[in-house]
Amino acid sequence: METTATILHADLDAFYASVEQLLAPSLRGKPIAVGGGVVLAASYEARAFGVRSGMPGRKARELCPQLIFVGGNFSHYQRLGDAAIKVLDDFTPVVERISIDEAFADVAGCTHLFGEPQEIATAIRRRVRAELGLPISIGVARTKHLAKIASQVAKPDGLVVVDPGTELAFLHDLPVSLMWGVGPATKARLAEIGIETIGQLARTHSGALTRLLGPAAGEKLAALAWNRDPRKLETRRRAHSAGAQSALGQKPAVARVIVPTLLHLADRVASRLRAKARPGRTVTARVRFADLSAVTRSITLDQPISATTMLAEIAGDLVRGVLADHPREKTISLLAISVSHLEESAELQLDLPLGLADEKRRPGSQKGLARFGADRAIDKIRERFGKHAVGYGTVALEAARSVPDEFRELAEKEL
């Protein structure tokens, strides 16, 4: 591990809301939210009232009656996000972009040109503000995990450098919710055994964490709590999976909710797989219940798939299995689908017409080939006339419409 703090994590502050305030100066200093039915992003002025992304618009208006909703300028989000990352590229070629508005950069090899890491971070922040008009927070540390935490502590519009000699003192007083991988459900589980800070987590016996979170998550969080993070920056990383999720609020766990939502998610995932010719073998479905607890199920197939209806049906079986195992859960708040074990230009093994029960889910069968052909026809129509020109049924097209597809695509990884 490096002995000096040379890893930067740069994160544009309240990015979507900040862009809206940049484009419309009359919105500056006012509480705004991007979205409508659901809050996609909130300005810091809105966050002061408790407004958060993912919150239903009705609740957001109750918390902040003066809240201003704006629709979203997605082309500008992409343009300005790319421009901010380009500023990092001007200082170092070792940049790992992890979303539209944040990236890691390792400046170990360019300090002789641009000065110490803190000076480089200061210069980046100054340029992003001057050239793009946007606030950006940067954390500087020895490890990726600590740099990301430092950038969160630096918000809004700040810079935090963690000296190697002060790492644990800095880290252990912070809440566990700042750790990578600690979401609401994990935070609640940790709180049940009295763990609220990273220091308390670090001092907890590994066996207790394993029993609570499972071996993989327990060991990972225990290591990160002591700042043990050997990961290097990956500048040419390709995604090993493709996924999509839909936050539902509080919906009954019934077919009329589940089926169209899974078809909509499968459409988003499978179309990306086909566009890159990267079908996958493992299908995973995730169900989150009303109390924010979540259950995941997966299946690995004999042949890789990228057909939309095939993926939706397989995910539907997995979700029904989850609900059968949890009969008391009558309300769901999120559904997600992902496909992993992606293959490069996989050769399709044709099946003999044997009349098998699962023939329509076999890519090489007559029915499977027909489904894939229908998908390709839809892909071509969308390429020419737009993504909303044709879909897989009117119900599916209306599913999850509260979050525009353009917004979802900004957050989805390139395959």
Side-chain angles (χ1 to χ4, degrees), residues 252-328:
V254 295
R256 63 180 172 80
V257 173
I258 294 170
V259 171
T261 301
L262 290 180
L263 186 54
H264 183 79
L265 295 175
D267 185 13
R268 286 165 49 198
V269 174
S271 61
R272 293 168 60 207
L273 297 177
R274 293 193 299 274
K276 298 295 183 179
R278 298 190 72 196
R281 289 180 178 272
T282 300
V283 177
T284 302
R286 181 168 178 256
V287 182
R288 191 176 70 192
F289 300 117
D291 63 356
L292 300 184
S293 64
V295 178
T296 300
R297 292 284 187 274
S298 64
I299 185 172
T300 298
L301 309 169
D302 293 334
Q303 290 182 285
I305 67 168
S306 61
T308 295
T309 51
M310 202 177 292
L311 175 57
E313 289 173 2
I314 293 169
D317 287 347
L318 294 173
V319 170
R320 282 189 289 274
V322 169
L323 296 176
D325 291 341
H326 298 78
R328 295 184 179 180

Side-chain angles (χ1 to χ4, degrees), residues 100-401:
I100 189 174
D101 58 348
E102 61 178 319
F104 288 103
D106 192 334
V107 298
C110 61
T111 54
H112 63 292
L113 293 174
F114 304 112
E116 294 300 311
Q118 181 171 347
E119 297 176 78
I120 295 173
T122 300
I124 290 171
R125 294 186 63 244
R126 184 169 55 245
R127 278 191 54 184
V128 170
R129 172 65 81 175
E131 297 172 17
L132 306 178
L134 294 172
I136 187 168
S137 294
I138 297 180
V140 185
R142 280 193 311 149
T143 66
K144 292 173 71 173
H145 181 250
L146 190 55
K148 184 170 173 63
I149 286 179
S151 72
Q152 294 178 75
V153 173
K155 288 181 176 294
D157 196 16
L159 168 62
V160 168
V161 179
V162 184
D163 183 83
T166 65
E167 289 172 341
L168 296 182
F170 170 81
L171 188 62
H172 282 180
D173 286 337
L174 297 173
V176 291
S177 57
L178 290 182
M179 297 182 72
W180 218 341
V182 177
T186 301
K187 178 184 174 183
R189 290 195 193 102
L190 292 172
E192 289 174 1
I193 61 172
I195 298 176
E196 295 184 351
T197 69
I198 298 175
Q200 290 172 331
L201 176 63
R203 292 186 290 271
T204 301
H205 191 274
S206 59
L209 293 178
T210 297
R211 287 191 297 272
L212 184 69
L213 305 174
E219 291 175 9
K220 178 183 176 181
L221 290 182
L224 294 178
W226 288 103
N227 196 35
R228 293 195 290 267
D229 182 12
R231 294 172 300 164
K232 302 296 183 182
L233 272 65
E234 299 180 44
T235 58
R236 295 185 179 273
R237 180 178 60 183
R238 295 193 78 188
H240 300 295
S241 65
Q245 66 180 32
S246 179
L248 303 173
Q250 301 288 322
K251 297 289 186 181
V254 295
R256 63 180 172 80
V257 173
I258 294 170
V259 171
T261 301
L262 290 180
L263 186 54
H264 183 79
L265 295 175
D267 185 13
R268 286 165 49 198
V269 174
S271 61
R272 293 168 60 207
L273 297 177
R274 293 193 299 274
K276 298 295 183 179
R278 298 190 72 196
R281 289 180 178 272
T282 300
V283 177
T284 302
R286 181 168 178 256
V287 182
R288 191 176 70 192
F289 300 117
D291 63 356
L292 300 184
S293 64
V295 178
T296 300
R297 292 284 187 274
S298 64
I299 185 172
T300 298
L301 309 169
D302 293 334
Q303 290 182 285
I305 67 168
S306 61
T308 295
T309 51
M310 202 177 292
L311 175 57
E313 289 173 2
I314 293 169
D317 287 347
L318 294 173
V319 170
R320 282 189 289 274
V322 169
L323 296 176
D325 291 341
H326 298 78
R328 295 184 179 180
E329 300 290 351
K330 303 298 183 184
T331 304
I332 54 177
S333 59
L334 178 142
L335 289 173
I337 296 176
S338 68
V339 178
S340 55
H341 293 129
L342 306 185
E343 299 192 1
E344 302 278 357
S345 302
E347 294 184 3
L348 182 61
Q349 179 67 48
L350 298 180
D351 294 349
L352 293 173
L354 300 176
L356 300 175
D358 65 344
E359 199 167 272
K360 65 179 182 179
R361 296 187 185 177
R362 301 178 68 86
S365 70
Q366 270 191 324
K367 292 181 179 179
L369 290 170
R371 285 181 153 190
F372 186 79
D375 286 333
R376 293 304 298 155
I378 287 176
D379 293 339
K380 290 180 180 179
I381 293 171
R382 287 174 169 176
E383 287 171 9
R384 182 171 180 182
F385 299 106
K387 292 189 177 181
H388 301 309
V390 64
Y392 293 84
T394 55
V395 175
L397 288 173
E398 293 304 316
R401 266 291 181 256

Side-chain angles (χ1 to χ4, degrees), residues 39-60:
V39 175
L40 306 180
S43 66
Y44 281 103
E45 295 85 357
R47 294 181 189 185
F49 290 87
V51 178
R52 295 290 184 271
S53 61
M55 178 179 290
R58 180 181 300 176
K59 182 177 180 181

